[in-house]
Amino acid sequence: DIFVKDLASGVVTAISSAADGTIGNGVSGATTYLYNSFLNGFILSPDGTKVLFRSEASNLVAGDTNNAPDYFVKDLLTGSLTLVNSQANGTIGTDYIGTASFLTNHQIQFTGYALKLNEGGQNSSPNYFVKDLNTGKLTLINSASDGTAGNNDVYNIISYSPDKNRVLFRSKASNL
């Protein structure tokens, strides 16, 4: 399980738990999928109020029946828990999820095959997504203007604009 200790107050909070406090029924925590964190698999938001983590637990949010590891964000101020690899309507991704990290305090970027997450179609290549934690909106980066998924590999995200409203990426897709 994952915990956060407030060094000023001494309060310890369980992170790998549902919003009602129920501890997860699967492994949560450090993974080889989160390379960009000195915390060995857990990432704090830039403002330190949220924790991003990966879990194999199926009881952290209602309807988690994909039998796959998922990414979650725990809000340290409210105790709420958000499933990252899901659409705003609750549809959960059904396949391998790769890396994830905070883009801003309320945006998560993640990669993976994550089938069922793109309303504009699917492809057999890894996809890049951005999840807005405030609205639940999920944006497929490697898609055409009409939302159609790219028809070939995306190599990598190169950079984001300072306001995080534009992203530069490389792709072999011919339909973007």
Side-chain angles (χ1 to χ4, degrees):
D1 294 315
I2 306 168
F3 300 90
V4 168
K5 183 170 187 168
D6 184 311
L7 297 177
S9 68
V11 173
V12 177
T13 304
I15 300 302
S16 51
S17 62
D20 68 1
T22 303
I23 297 294
N25 61 3
V27 175
S28 296
T31 72
T32 57
Y33 296 100
L34 296 173
Y35 297 109
N36 57 345
S37 173
F38 73 96
L39 296 173
N40 196 24
F42 326 113
I43 300 175
L44 286 168
S45 61
D47 66 2
T49 63
K50 297 173 186 74
V51 178
L52 171 66
F53 67 99
R54 186 173 187 265
S55 180
E56 296 176 17
S58 62
N59 67 333
L60 296 179
V61 295
D64 186 357
T65 58
N66 65 354
N67 295 317
D70 299 301
Y71 281 108
F72 297 91
V73 171
K74 181 75 156 203
D75 188 309
L76 299 175
L77 302 176
T78 67
S80 67
L81 189 70
T82 302
L83 177 63
V84 173
N85 51 296
S86 64
Q87 291 181 13
N89 68 8
T91 301
I92 298 174
T94 61
D95 207 339
Y96 169 80
I97 302 297
T99 60
S101 62
F102 278 95
L103 185 56
T104 66
N105 288 321
H106 69 276
Q107 292 176 306
I108 304 291
Q109 61 180 355
F110 68 97
T111 64
Y113 291 91
L115 300 176
K116 289 190 176 181
L117 288 183
N118 181 33
E119 295 173 0
Q122 297 299 152
N123 60 34
S124 59
S125 301
N127 294 294
Y128 285 77
F129 296 93
V130 172
K131 171 83 168 215
D132 186 309
L133 299 174
N134 292 335
T135 65
K137 180 181 178 188
L138 190 67
T139 301
L140 176 64
I141 292 174
N142 53 302
S143 64
S145 297
D146 66 0
T148 301
N151 61 8
N152 209 324
D153 289 347
V154 174
Y155 290 111
N156 57 354
I157 299 296
I158 297 168
S159 67
Y160 286 91
S161 62
D163 64 3
K164 309 300 188 231
N165 288 325
R166 290 185 176 85
V167 61
L168 181 63
F169 66 97
R170 286 183 44 196
S171 175
K172 288 171 57 176
S174 63
N175 66 334
L176 299 178

